Amino acid sequence: MRRVERYLWGFFPPSGQDDPVDEVLHAVLDAPGKRLRPQLLLLVSRLGADHAAKRERLCKLAAIVECIHTASLIHDDIVDDSPLRRGRPTIQSRFGKDMAVYTGDLVLSRVMTELFADGLSQSGLVLGQTMQTMCRGELWQYAGRYRVDVTPDRYRKAIYGKTVALLAAACRVGGLESGCTAPVLEAVEDYGTHLGYLFQIRDDLLDFLSEQDREGKPVHVDFQEGILTLPVIYALAHPDHRQAIERLVGIAAERPLTAEEQALLVQAVRLSGGLEKAIYELDQHYACACAALKALPDGKIAAVLRKIVKMLRDSLPNKRPTAKMVAG
Amino acid sequence: MRRVERYLWGFFPPSGQDDPVDEVLHAVLDAPGKRLRPQLLLLVSRLGADHAAKRERLCKLAAIVECIHTASLIHDDIVDDSPLRRGRPTIQSRFGKDMAVYTGDLVLSRVMTELFADGLSQSGLVLGQTMQTMCRGELWQYAGRYRVDVTPDRYRKAIYGKTVALLAAACRVGGLESGCTAPVLEAVEDYGTHLGYLFQIRDDLLDFLSEQDREGKPVHVDFQEGILTLPVIYALAHPDHRQAIERLVGIAAERPLTAEEQALLVQAVRLSGGLEKAIYELDQHYACACAALKALPDGKIAAVLRKIVKMLRDSLPNKRPTAKMVAG
């Protein structure tokens, strides 16, 4: 991973002159992150016969995938008007929306240049298609805000673009470039896809399961912005709770929800069984991700990949809602 | 050019389903434009030996270059908060800034996919680098707003990214893909570069030479946004006018200029000789563009390319400021 960091910083060397762009790029690279996507790419690549020979290429690709993720976060923060990301000011809040638009574009065009310069056209094609899917997912989600007719299928389509596609692509690219066989390639992409769904559903559940709101931190940001997540969508399908949630969606479109209204939202989602249904879906993705790993030839790598999804699943606080929680 | 249009629309086929993205993309493609960049690419390509054999590839590349231009306009309009572009509502004013961010990204990632899918890696590298230059130019310009220490060199650096780079790249790509010889390639890129400078300086001059303001249309938008163009920068260098312009820059940073203040700006720029100096620079680029064409083997193509820069130069209304204009 140290090599990956070196590539990341190497993509954007400071010009040395009095260049305002240097400061913005430094802030972009310096942002803390789990680097999940590059780690996944490198892990998967160890399943291919050429992984040792192509080590530099793979580290560079891992950095490129992280850049695509970073650029998407920069642009997402413009749309969400987010002041903070992982505890630090976002590019848009620190340098303005306008700088953020072009900084995201700069990171993407740098990625494109690197891919062409190194003749990484197979991975370039995968990543170009993935970026399209990501944009379409975001557009799709944005256009559907505050719509109470949103279905679980629409939700899945949106999060496929928002989260799943790039995680699956990281696995695919790692497998492709290291020379994995077709069945292994299919298995790792399948794993990445289910990991992606698990990852996003977990994130959406956390909004209702965590205790963050009691510490005054902003929660239900998605709901406020009209983005209805899986627990809410399932709650909307419950005849006893549909009306309450529809009313709250209408309010969210007009003004910030009060603490009391937020509590009503949480109660409706909990009482409707929306949490259990979303957790059930998350568990299904966990099972599918583990099943996909059975096709892998290397038991050690499979075990590490299994650990990642297990950790994500188990880190859900109070994963099974208690009777007390359901009672509000 | 009909083939180019077909490729443009073909890049974004409607999904047929109830997809909100279709409507946005239709608005993007339907925007009127001169299609200068694709025309330039195709014209230049006729200087290469392979131009007939690579016709389809060249038309596709012409469409790709237009897409890059379009995506940059969509993102520029977010930054400028522009309600209109060529008389039609901008994507950001019609669908919101947020849709505009992702729509621009979608167009760029589509471009990237096409380049990789067709193995256009040589042109892909040129275009990736050009996109980086464009972003850096915009960031550079944006970071320097309302700064009265801006020099003609800083201005040139900013407009190189904003306008020149893509016009030069259109020429380079047209030459590269059609198999032009190295001297021809150098000549057409040189031509494209000077055409680019001419194009932008002309645009900046028009803001002070045209009579639009008398019809109530917005002028001096750049100045209002703190972007100081060449005529203003030259006026700032004049000891008799520096103070007046500095004061107006300060006002523009705070609030919209009144009609009276706009008139003061125009007067200062005219009296300082800023217009003549900018026109002199424009003429130099015209001469350089024409000189570059002398290296071309095909007299007919050279003549058409010369006509383009001549038309741009001659279309400047009242190109030489009259005594009356200088007197305000």
Side-chain angles (χ1 to χ4, degrees), chain A residues 195-209:
Chain A
L195 163 64
Y197 282 115
L198 191 162
F199 193 88
Q200 187 61 51
I201 296 174
R202 174 182 170 272
D203 212 50
D204 293 340
L205 273 164
L206 276 179
D207 202 26
F208 290 97
L209 288 173

Side-chain angles (χ1 to χ4, degrees), chain A residues 6-76:
Chain A
R6 217 182 305 143
Y7 274 112
L8 270 175
W9 289 85
F11 287 162
F12 306 98
S15 71
Q17 296 154 32
D18 169 31
D19 190 335
V21 182
D22 287 348
E23 194 191 342
V24 187
L25 287 173
H26 189 274
V28 168
L29 294 170
D30 203 34
K34 295 178 293 291
R35 311 284 198 224
L36 173 61
R37 290 149 194 85
Q39 282 191 44
L40 215 51
L41 188 151
L42 292 179
L43 259 172
V44 164
S45 77
R46 288 170 58 193
L47 295 162
D50 312 336
H51 93 266
K54 297 216 175 163
R55 198 170 167 199
E56 286 303 323
R57 228 173 143 84
L58 287 161
C59 288
K60 193 170 194 179
L61 274 167
I64 284 173
V65 166
E66 184 67 12
C67 278
I68 295 176
H69 177 56
T70 302
S72 81
L73 293 184
I74 296 173
H75 281 180
D76 284 356

